[in-house]
Amino acid sequence: MENSATMIGPKGLIKRHEFVRVIIQSLHSLGYRKSASFLESESGISYKSVDFKLLESQIPEGNWNICLDTLNGIKELVDETRASALFLVFKQFMLECMSCGNDSLALTVLRKQVPALLLGRENIRNLAYSLLNLKEKDLSNLDENSIFELRKRLLADLEKLLPPPSVLPERRLEHLVETAVTAQIDSCMYHNSQEAVSLYEDHCCTREQIPIETIQILTDHENEVWFVQFSNNGEYLASSSSDCTAIIWKVPEDGRLTFKHTLRSHQNPVSFVAWSPDDGKLLTCGNVEVLKLWDVETGTCKHTFGDHGFIVSSCAWFPDSKRFVCGSSDPEKGICMWDCDGNEIKAWRGTRMPKVLDLAVTPDGEHLISVFSDKDIRIFNLVTSAERVISEEHPITSLSVSTDGKFFIVNLNSEEIHMWDVAGKWKKALTYMGHKQRKYVIRSCFGGLNNSFIASGSESSQVYIWNWRNPKPIEVLSGHLMTVNCVSWNPRRHQMLASASDDHTIRIWGPSQSKNIQHEKLI
């Protein structure tokens, strides 16, 4: 018999007996039953405990009293688990009594034997309720095969209920390996690939997994480029500029962007764009000007919202692509919800709705998040009307929500980016530092596989990239000549990033094509 105290592994942390047990269980679950039996025979270790083997022999035979003794004899069980296990056994026993017409025996056990086993009032009440339900059902069709199948199901339920070491959790070895792989992925600062992780070596990605090299420069704008955003399907990029235009770019399979449309209608610089969730429509916000709706395929303006006195600061779509909200820096305008035909559906105005600097709607359409009065963030639940406010110490310039709708980030002019959770469970924000921001509106974004990265522009004319677990940037990308105002990470191509700059250009970033590339990196 294997010595259960023997330890293995480089650090002597693993009990050999337990290790062999989970291997045998894994062989069984993978279908290698002969190999599992051979290992059990050679090691003298069974992956099923003595107690559970007893139950496997007692329950199919209907030896209920002995089965109860076995459950009561398992020392590792806490009272609650023991009561739940006994409840399942008594329920099966009473069902079988009722099926053969022995109602009086079932009732006697319920009155006399069950209370003595300390099942608890709730379990006894449930057993009585089950007895009444069974009495109303026709159990005459329960033949021997049906009873046997019900007993097998009882064993399966007990196997899920009983704790280690009596029973091993299902697929224990796979769970342990997945936990180790997940820990390695989480500790990898550059992990950005959907390819399966190999078990043959410790996992560690190189910096070539993320966009760090300029692969294309777009020069069609004639003045400062203030905003860029990839479409939700990753097939388009929209940009807006102080040259009073917005441009839609196509992202082909080869990843080299091509011009699609120039959107000309605004009289003032275009400060913001927003893709509809179905990517068929695009909203553009003029600086201290109206809001316009465009057809992406044709490049035509479908509607103009507001008048020249309506100051739009930001806009965001609802998931149905039929409604959107826009915020105004004019306190009297507040936040408006419109449909695509220009009908105002709802509005939030008044003293409780001061000037709105930026806003977003979570992808599920449940939360409206807005930045108001420079330093405050309001998270409003559109379903329950519940709201909470987060107050920052420094002015906020922009807001961005993760694609899963669970988190959002805000840029502060104190040269920090703060991440908060939408649900409100965090008491303190995660903080990211290193970029330069004092005077201008700088926008950041989530990106990469599972929103694992944060990217931001900077007044230093560089692009900064953080892994969300690390407050310091893992990469600083140089190339622009002036302030980088905005960045956007392609939601479908996890290795493509766009940046917009006051130098009139948009840079498209991708993985390094050369290991000899000169780069600046912060540790």
Side-chain angles (χ1 to χ4, degrees):
M1 184 69 180
E2 177 72 37
N3 182 359
S4 61
T6 303
M7 308 298 286
I8 61 171
K11 297 182 180 180
L13 300 176
I14 304 169
K15 294 180 180 179
R16 185 187 186 96
H17 179 88
E18 293 184 357
F19 190 62
V20 174
R21 270 189 82 184
V22 297
I23 291 175
I24 295 170
Q25 182 204 41
S26 181
L27 289 172
H28 274 289
S29 67
L30 292 171
Y32 303 130
R33 302 194 182 280
K34 290 182 180 179
S35 299
S37 297
F38 184 83
L39 182 53
E40 282 184 312
S41 175
E42 186 176 27
S43 65
I45 298 171
S46 172
Y47 94 89
K48 292 184 178 180
S49 67
V50 173
D51 291 324
F52 196 77
K53 280 187 172 183
L54 288 173
L55 293 174
E56 284 187 317
S57 64
Q58 295 158 0
I59 290 176
E61 296 297 325
N63 296 327
W64 302 116
N65 287 328
I66 302 176
C67 174
L68 295 176
D69 290 340
T70 299
L71 287 173
N72 282 317
I74 301 177
K75 297 179 181 179
E76 295 84 5
L77 294 187
V78 297
D79 290 342
E80 184 179 352
T81 303
R82 193 186 312 277
S84 297
L86 293 172
F87 169 81
L88 293 175
V89 173
F90 275 117
K91 186 176 179 181
Q92 176 66 26
F93 171 74
M94 289 194 303
L95 182 147
E96 294 187 18
C97 287
M98 302 287 285
S99 69
C100 61
N102 201 344
D103 298 12
S104 59
L105 177 58
L107 191 58
T108 299
V109 168
L110 180 63
R111 286 175 174 172
K112 296 181 177 180
Q113 191 172 354
V114 170
L117 292 174
L118 304 176
L119 261 68
R121 290 184 179 180
E122 188 66 25
N123 279 330
I124 294 175
R125 191 180 299 113
N126 288 336
L127 279 174
Y129 182 73
S130 298
L131 187 61
L132 290 173
N133 281 343
L134 290 171
K135 196 165 185 177
E136 295 175 0
K137 293 181 180 179
D138 180 15
L139 301 176
S140 59
N141 59 346
L142 285 180
D143 55 18
E144 289 186 7
N145 289 333
S146 299
I147 294 293
F148 182 72
E149 288 301 318
L150 288 171
R151 289 175 179 178
K152 283 175 61 178
R153 189 184 302 172
L154 171 60
L155 265 174
D157 291 341
L158 289 173
E159 190 169 12
K160 293 177 182 178
L161 176 65
L162 297 177
S166 297
V167 173
L168 293 182
E170 189 177 4
R171 302 170 74 171
R172 181 61 181 165
L173 184 58
E174 291 176 49
H175 170 74
L176 291 172
V177 173
E178 280 193 341
T179 300
V181 170
T182 301
Q184 290 193 7
I185 289 174
D186 289 346
S187 65
C188 177
M189 291 295 101
Y190 290 100
H191 186 75
N192 194 32
S193 172
Q194 292 179 317
E195 293 182 6
V197 173
S198 173
L199 300 181
Y200 295 150
E201 59 184 357
D202 289 343
H203 176 73
C204 184
C205 293
T206 62
R207 62 191 295 269
E208 282 72 27
Q209 287 290 330
I210 65 172
I212 55 174
E213 181 179 283
T214 299
I215 59 174
Q216 189 177 3
I217 302 176
L218 306 176
T219 60
D220 291 45
H221 281 295
E222 297 176 358
N223 211 322
E224 298 172 352
V225 188
W226 287 356
F227 197 88
V228 282
Q229 188 178 72
F230 281 105
S231 60
N232 300 286
N233 61 15
E235 296 179 4
Y236 297 98
L237 176 73
S239 59
S240 67
S241 168
S242 61
D243 65 8
C244 306
T245 70
I247 297 178
I248 297 176
W249 312 84
K250 176 69 176 173
V251 184
E253 283 299 317
D254 65 3
R256 192 158 187 85
L257 277 67
T258 57
F259 171 85
K260 184 173 177 66
H261 298 298
T262 296
L263 311 180
R264 302 180 188 276
S265 183
H266 286 282
Q267 303 303 309
N268 291 338
V270 183
S271 58
F272 193 90
V273 302
W275 290 93
S276 62
D278 63 8
D279 294 323
K281 298 177 281 288
L282 185 74
L283 287 169
T284 57
C285 297
N287 190 34
V288 194
E289 200 197 352
V290 294
L291 182 69
K292 291 182 179 288
L293 176 67
W294 303 81
D295 182 276
V296 172
E297 186 58 35
T298 63
T300 56
C301 183
K302 307 296 288 185
H303 199 89
T304 298
F305 302 83
D307 52 37
H308 290 287
F310 187 72
I311 304 172
V312 180
S313 59
S314 173
C315 55
W317 288 88
F318 282 90
D320 59 8
S321 296
K322 296 178 180 178
R323 300 167 298 146
F324 61 89
V325 287
C326 68
S328 175
S329 54
D330 182 348
E332 294 184 3
K333 302 294 184 181
I335 297 175
C336 296
M337 182 193 299
W338 276 323
D339 65 18
C340 293
D341 295 321
N343 300 308
E344 185 178 295
I345 301 172
K346 193 170 184 178
W348 295 268
R349 299 188 179 99
T351 56
R352 292 183 65 254
M353 188 56 63
K355 66 176 183 178
V356 178
L357 302 177
D358 204 352
L359 56 73
V361 175
T362 54
D364 59 9
E366 288 193 5
H367 292 90
L368 171 61
I369 306 172
S370 56
V371 176
F372 64 98
S373 296
D374 292 333
K375 300 178 183 179
D376 295 324
I377 308 161
R378 176 179 283 119
I379 299 97
F380 180 70
N381 189 309
L382 294 160
V383 179
T384 66
S385 295
E387 68 175 59
R388 64 188 178 93
V389 174
I390 299 171
S391 296
E392 294 280 9
E393 294 183 5
H394 300 277
I396 304 167
T397 66
S398 64
L399 162 72
S400 180
V401 176
S402 61
T403 55
D404 60 10
K406 295 180 179 179
F407 308 98
F408 65 89
I409 48 179
V410 290
N411 278 58
L412 310 176
N413 71 0
S414 60
E415 300 186 332
E416 289 185 348
I417 297 171
H418 287 182
M419 182 198 292
W420 294 94
D421 70 314
V422 174
K425 296 179 180 179
W426 297 0
K427 293 183 179 180
K428 186 178 180 180
L430 298 181
T431 300
Y432 306 91
M433 300 171 291
H435 64 301
K436 306 300 179 185
Q437 181 181 3
R438 286 293 182 183
K439 297 186 295 182
Y440 303 123
V441 173
I442 302 294
R443 298 184 183 274
S444 56
C445 69
F446 290 91
L449 183 67
N450 300 323
N451 295 293
S452 297
F453 302 96
I454 293 170
S456 179
S458 172
E459 292 174 12
S460 66
S461 75
Q462 295 164 311
V463 175
Y464 288 72
I465 297 176
W466 295 261
N467 182 292
W468 76 269
R469 297 176 181 83
N470 193 331
K472 295 183 179 180
I474 58 172
E475 294 292 339
V476 179
L477 313 181
S478 299
H480 283 293
L481 303 177
M482 299 177 70
T483 295
V484 180
N485 301 303
C486 181
V487 292
S488 179
W489 208 303
N490 193 309
R492 293 292 180 265
R493 297 170 180 250
H494 299 314
Q495 296 180 328
M496 178 179 284
L497 178 72
S499 57
S501 172
D502 282 351
D503 65 9
H504 304 190
T505 69
I506 300 164
R507 283 183 177 253
I508 307 300
W509 306 83
S512 175
Q513 303 300 311
S514 170
K515 293 186 178 180
N516 297 321
I517 183 173
Q518 296 296 316
H519 65 277
E520 182 177 354
K521 182 177 179 181
L522 299 186
I523 304 298

